[in-house]
């Protein structure tokens, strides 16, 4: 195992948002939690509203994570890798797209949905938002495994350009079932 | 320490071994066929599809069904298992060893199961298939699946390289596979990315890509450096993001340029060292232009460039493995493959696109891929 340290973390679920281990927000009945979090952080990024659920979850979690880090944002960089994981890939977008092709009488495949039927689009959204030109990757695991994720984070540091890794688990099954657990890991 | 290739396999409509596939490419044969309404889709397309009965026969012959939880496998599972079985056997590694890791590369896995009446959600994700393959061999490690769009096959090999370089494992089996389905074909059609004719990479008349299905597997091993070792070695790989657009490539070829630059720097290679650059070459307007710009910026415009999409179409998660293995096989024969479908340069940089098969004595090449999500990968191989 390599020498490294986790500097910040975010845990986002359907019910709560925790930043660096402290609860900062709770879902209110009747309000879409992700949209509330978007407004609460005064984010101005209209593309958010075009994103699919997986991207929204990953994007919101990354915004709170990077705000907690407190460094100057949006500076082009290629020393930070973005490495995300889940089990069910782009399940939510896949099932949405399937609905547009299932009925021959109403066959209307939507390009705006199809583009999200890849899990790594969320890594791309985070890279675009933050001007990260470094490594980006999405890995699927048969189940959530801290050990497997840590090994992959260690491997990401084997790229000599990489000095920190924004990494973690992002799963989005439905509006009522999603979670993100993201960290920033700095190499020592 | 070196990372060398000790096993390989390839399942495509042009053959069920690397050598068979190479012979087909040598003969300029294409697996792409015209379909007026494949799977009743309301548009015509050119696709490269593996014949069901051939796949089934090979699967029955090579795969021990009693080692599977159920003998009823999907096309995707058959492709993954069959290619893994063949590559593992050729490599001679003990797949049960805790020093061996299985890595799958796939973009859509079992997505075709979404059209079933009762959807088995657990089985859709490629991570499920990766576990199926690892369990088949009795491998104790958690298999990883790289799902990084069209660059997955190179990313998976980069993961393998790092696993071996760091001493974490002694051998890594990388399986690249995707099965086509109405989901994937209708999706690419909705993006207006599909050509209604056979694709023309880098040509002025290119109109888009063709899709294909394939599986290819490679076994990489960590070994002591030995001057007389004649096996293929991975010299390094890098992945970089355009940070520009989720479905359109960067106009400056930013990510591809940076990935190429990182690989050249690390491997100490320059244009004169390379037999060829085997590129993505999907034959979409934007991809090929972007690649040309990136290649030029990286100082590689004088290197012979070739693309294999005219033989197989775009094989998604398999592409990064299949195209690397075919290039290796061609260079073993002293040849750089021809870019089938190339009809006159149609990019803004004077690239040296290999229209015909060319002789070469060089045994080093760079592979380039790019994908949705703005990701780009480059890797260098030598023999």
């Amino acid at each position: 195992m390599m020498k490294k340290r986790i500097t910040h973390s975010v845990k986002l679920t359907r019910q709560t948002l925790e930043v660096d281990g402290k609860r900062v927000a709770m879902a209110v009945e009747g309000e879409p939690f992700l949209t509330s979090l978007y407004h609460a952080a005064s984010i101005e990024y209209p593309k958010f509203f075009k994103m699919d659920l997986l991207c929204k979850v990953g994007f919101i979690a990354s915004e709170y994570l990077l705000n907690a880090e407190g460094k100057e944002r949006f500076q082009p960089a290629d020393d930070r890798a973005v490495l995300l994981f889940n089990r069910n890939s782009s399940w939510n977008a896949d099932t949405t797209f399937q609905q547009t092709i299932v009925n021959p009488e109403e066959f209307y495949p939507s390009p705006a949905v199809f583009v999200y039927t890849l899990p790594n689009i969320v890594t791309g959204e985070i890279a675009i938002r933050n001007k990260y030109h470094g490594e980006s990757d999405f890995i699927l695991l048969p189940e959530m495994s801290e050990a497997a994720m840590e090994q992959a984070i260690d491997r990401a540091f084997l790229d000599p350009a990489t000095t920190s890794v924004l990494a973690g688990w992002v799963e989005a099954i439905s509006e009522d079932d999603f979670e993100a657990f993201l960290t920033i890991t700095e190499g020592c | 320490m070196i990372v060398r290739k000790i096993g390989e396999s390839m399942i495509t409509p042009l053959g069920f071994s690397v050598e068979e596939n190479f012979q087909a490419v040598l003969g300029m044969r294409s697996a792409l066929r015209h379909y007026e309404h494949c799977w009743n889709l309301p548009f015509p397309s050119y696709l490269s599809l593996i014949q069901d009965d051939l796949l089934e026969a090979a699967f029955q012959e090579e795969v021990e069904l009693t080692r599977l939880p159920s003998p009823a496998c999907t096309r995707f599972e058959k492709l993954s298992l069959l290619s893994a079985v063949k590559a593992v056997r050729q490599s001679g590694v003990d797949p049960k060893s805790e020093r061996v890791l299985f890595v799958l590369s796939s973009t859509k896995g079992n997505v075709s199961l979404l059209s079933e009446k009762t959807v088995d959600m657990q089985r859709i994700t490629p991570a499920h298939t990766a576990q199926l393959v690892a369990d088949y061999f009795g491998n104790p490690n958690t298999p990883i699946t790289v799902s990084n769009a069209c660059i997955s096959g190179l990313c998976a090999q980069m993961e393998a390289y790092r696993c071996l370089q760091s001493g974490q494992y002694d051998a890594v089996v990388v399986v690249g596979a995707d099965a086509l389905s109405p989901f994937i074909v209708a999706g690419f059609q909705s993006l207006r990315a599909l050509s209604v004719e056979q694709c023309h990479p880098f040509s002025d008349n290119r109109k888009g890509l063709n899709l294909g299905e394939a599986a290819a597997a490679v076994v990489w091993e960590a070994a002591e450096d030995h001057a007389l070792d004649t096996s293929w070695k991975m010299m390094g790989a890098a992945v970089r993001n355009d940070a520009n657009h989720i479905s359109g490539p960067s106009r400056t070829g930013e990510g591809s340029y940076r990935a190429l630059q990182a690989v050249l720097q690390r491997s100490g290679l320059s244009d004169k060292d390379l037999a060829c650059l085997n590129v993505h070459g999907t034959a979409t307007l934007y991809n090929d232009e972007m690649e040309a710009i990136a290649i030029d910026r990286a100082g590689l415009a004088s290197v012979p460039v070739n693309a294999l999409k005219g033989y197989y179409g775009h094989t998604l998660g398999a592409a990064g493995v299949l195209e690397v293995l075919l290039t290796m096989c061609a260079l073993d024969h002293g040849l750089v493959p021809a870019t089938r479908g190339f009809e006159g340069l149609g990019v803004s940089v004077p690239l040296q696109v290999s229209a015909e098969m060319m002789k070469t004595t060089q045994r080093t090449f760079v592979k380039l891929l790019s994908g949705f999500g703005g990701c780009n990968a480059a890797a260098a191989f030598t023999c």
Side-chain angles (χ1 to χ4, degrees):
Chain A
M1 216 171 296
M2 65 162 287
K3 275 182 88 176
K4 60 187 186 300
R5 64 195 177 96
I6 293 174
T7 56
H8 296 280
S9 66
V10 158
K11 190 176 179 189
L12 170 64
T13 67
R14 173 70 188 83
Q15 285 83 30
T16 61
L17 172 73
E18 287 173 23
V19 178
D20 291 334
K22 293 191 193 75
R23 185 193 290 169
V24 298
M26 281 180 77
V28 176
E29 198 65 42
E31 268 180 44
F33 192 31
L34 295 171
T35 311
S36 305
L37 290 173
Y38 173 90
H39 291 303
S42 304
I43 301 165
E44 286 177 34
Y45 197 65
K47 268 189 212 166
F48 169 77
F49 298 99
K50 280 173 68 180
M51 293 179 191
D52 82 322
L53 185 65
L54 183 67
C55 288
K56 280 183 174 165
V57 173
F59 176 82
I60 290 292
S62 70
E63 285 294 302
Y64 279 83
L65 181 70
L66 293 166
N67 287 340
E69 186 183 36
K71 291 187 179 163
E72 194 177 357
R73 302 269 318 262
F74 318 121
Q75 301 300 308
D78 53 11
D79 57 356
R80 172 162 288 172
V82 180
L83 176 56
L84 301 181
F85 306 81
N86 74 12
R87 180 188 189 282
N88 293 298
S89 183
S90 48
W91 167 264
N92 187 266
D94 289 358
T95 50
T96 307
F97 183 74
Q98 179 68 18
Q99 290 310 308
T100 71
I101 60 166
V102 71
N103 186 346
E105 274 79 57
E106 296 169 55
F107 182 88
Y108 194 76
S110 159
V113 179
F114 182 69
V115 71
Y116 287 103
T117 64
L118 289 165
N120 68 302
I121 299 300
V122 59
T123 63
E125 293 280 21
I126 292 170
I128 293 166
R129 165 69 164 165
N130 297 289
K131 302 191 171 71
Y132 291 160
H133 289 288
E135 184 169 314
S136 65
D137 200 1
F138 203 103
I139 291 177
L140 308 175
L141 298 171
E143 58 192 344
M144 155 82 115
S145 160
E146 298 268 4
M149 289 197 287
E150 189 179 349
Q151 284 176 11
I153 292 169
D154 281 356
R155 289 197 296 269
F157 280 107
L158 292 177
D159 186 317
T162 300
T163 60
S164 68
V165 184
L166 190 164
W169 182 265
V170 188
E171 189 80 273
I173 304 302
S174 71
E175 299 280 349
D176 293 316
D177 182 6
F178 59 78
E179 59 183 359
F181 180 61
L182 301 188
T183 57
I184 293 173
T185 303
E186 297 274 352
C188 295
Chain B
M1 214 274 292
I2 56 163
V3 171
R4 65 175 185 176
K5 185 187 73 166
I6 54 169
E8 61 183 7
S9 68
M10 196 175 284
I11 315 292
T12 84
L14 295 180
F16 281 23
S17 71
V18 178
E19 185 62 31
E20 261 182 281
N21 273 277
F22 170 69
Q23 290 302 328
V25 167
L26 192 60
M28 296 289 273
R29 279 167 53 206
S30 176
L32 294 164
R33 298 284 174 271
H34 176 76
Y35 295 89
E36 204 49 42
H37 296 291
C38 192
W39 302 305
N40 291 321
L41 288 168
F43 52 83
S45 52
Y46 263 95
L47 303 170
S48 160
L49 298 173
I50 297 168
Q51 243 179 278
D52 264 326
D53 53 342
L54 294 181
L55 177 60
E56 182 60 24
F59 183 72
Q60 294 283 344
E61 192 185 316
E62 304 265 2
V63 178
E64 291 176 48
L65 301 183
T66 52
R67 287 163 71 172
L68 293 168
S70 155
C73 287
T74 64
R75 282 174 72 71
F76 175 65
E77 290 161 356
K78 285 177 195 169
L79 286 168
S80 303
L81 281 161
L82 179 58
S83 57
V85 164
K86 288 166 81 107
V88 165
R89 188 175 56 217
Q90 194 192 53
S91 73
V93 296
D94 173 13
K96 293 189 293 299
S97 166
E98 63 179 23
R99 302 288 301 161
V100 174
L101 180 72
F102 281 80
V103 178
L104 179 62
S105 155
S106 180
T107 63
K108 292 315 302 167
N110 272 328
V111 75
S112 61
L113 292 178
L114 281 179
S115 62
E116 305 270 302
K117 271 207 183 77
T118 317
V119 174
D120 181 355
M121 179 180 174
Q122 294 301 310
R123 200 175 175 186
I124 304 278
T125 171
H128 182 273
T129 308
Q131 189 68 63
L132 182 79
V133 172
D135 288 347
Y136 174 87
F137 290 104
N139 185 270
N141 297 311
T142 300
I144 64 171
T145 302
V146 175
S147 198
N148 211 10
C150 305
I151 73 166
S152 300
L154 269 195
C155 281
Q157 293 183 78
M158 182 176 75
E159 289 290 333
Y161 181 77
R162 291 172 175 178
C163 285
L164 300 169
Q165 280 279 334
S166 63
Q168 213 177 352
Y169 296 96
D170 294 336
V172 180
V173 182
V174 177
V175 176
D178 262 306
L180 289 184
S181 61
F183 185 105
I184 295 172
V185 179
F188 275 90
Q189 171 74 10
S190 77
L191 296 174
R192 300 171 189 268
L194 296 183
S195 171
V196 291
E197 50 191 65
Q198 291 200 23
C199 65
H200 299 292
F202 293 99
S203 309
D204 47 15
N205 60 345
R206 69 186 186 277
K207 295 188 178 73
L209 59 82
N210 306 132
L211 289 166
E213 60 184 2
V218 58
V219 184
W220 291 104
E221 173 194 65
E224 289 303 315
D225 199 355
H226 192 290
L228 298 176
D229 193 331
T230 57
S231 48
W232 277 97
K233 293 167 273 292
M234 202 189 308
M235 300 174 79
V239 171
R240 294 290 182 270
N241 202 289
D242 289 335
N244 175 59
H245 194 275
I246 55 168
S247 59
S250 153
R251 285 183 190 278
T252 56
E254 205 55 44
S256 284
Y257 161 64
R258 289 178 189 231
L260 281 171
Q261 208 186 27
V263 165
L264 293 177
Q265 196 180 17
R266 218 162 304 159
S267 57
L269 295 170
S270 70
D271 53 351
K272 291 173 189 63
D273 303 310
L274 302 179
C276 67
L277 256 172
N278 177 259
V279 298
H280 200 23
T282 60
T284 65
L285 267 179
Y286 293 116
N287 175 80
D288 295 6
E289 175 65 17
M290 178 281 287
E291 281 191 300
I293 290 167
I295 290 164
D296 189 39
R297 284 183 70 191
L300 299 175
S302 64
V303 179
V305 164
N306 74 331
L308 297 165
K309 301 294 192 285
Y311 304 92
Y312 297 101
H314 185 351
T315 55
L316 308 171
V321 184
L322 180 150
E323 293 170 5
V324 161
L325 293 179
L326 260 178
T327 304
M328 288 173 176
C329 185
L331 293 181
D332 283 340
H333 287 82
L335 295 165
V336 173
T339 302
R340 194 183 190 283
F342 177 68
E343 291 180 349
L345 194 67
V347 289
S348 64
V349 174
L351 285 189
Q352 306 302 310
V353 179
S354 308
E356 310 288 333
M357 185 79 80
M358 286 179 359
K359 285 192 178 153
T360 181
T361 53
Q362 284 178 306
R363 306 292 297 277
T364 303
F365 72 99
V366 167
K367 170 74 191 141
L368 184 63
L369 284 176
S370 60
F372 286 166
C375 53
N376 304 264
F381 303 89
T382 194
C383 173

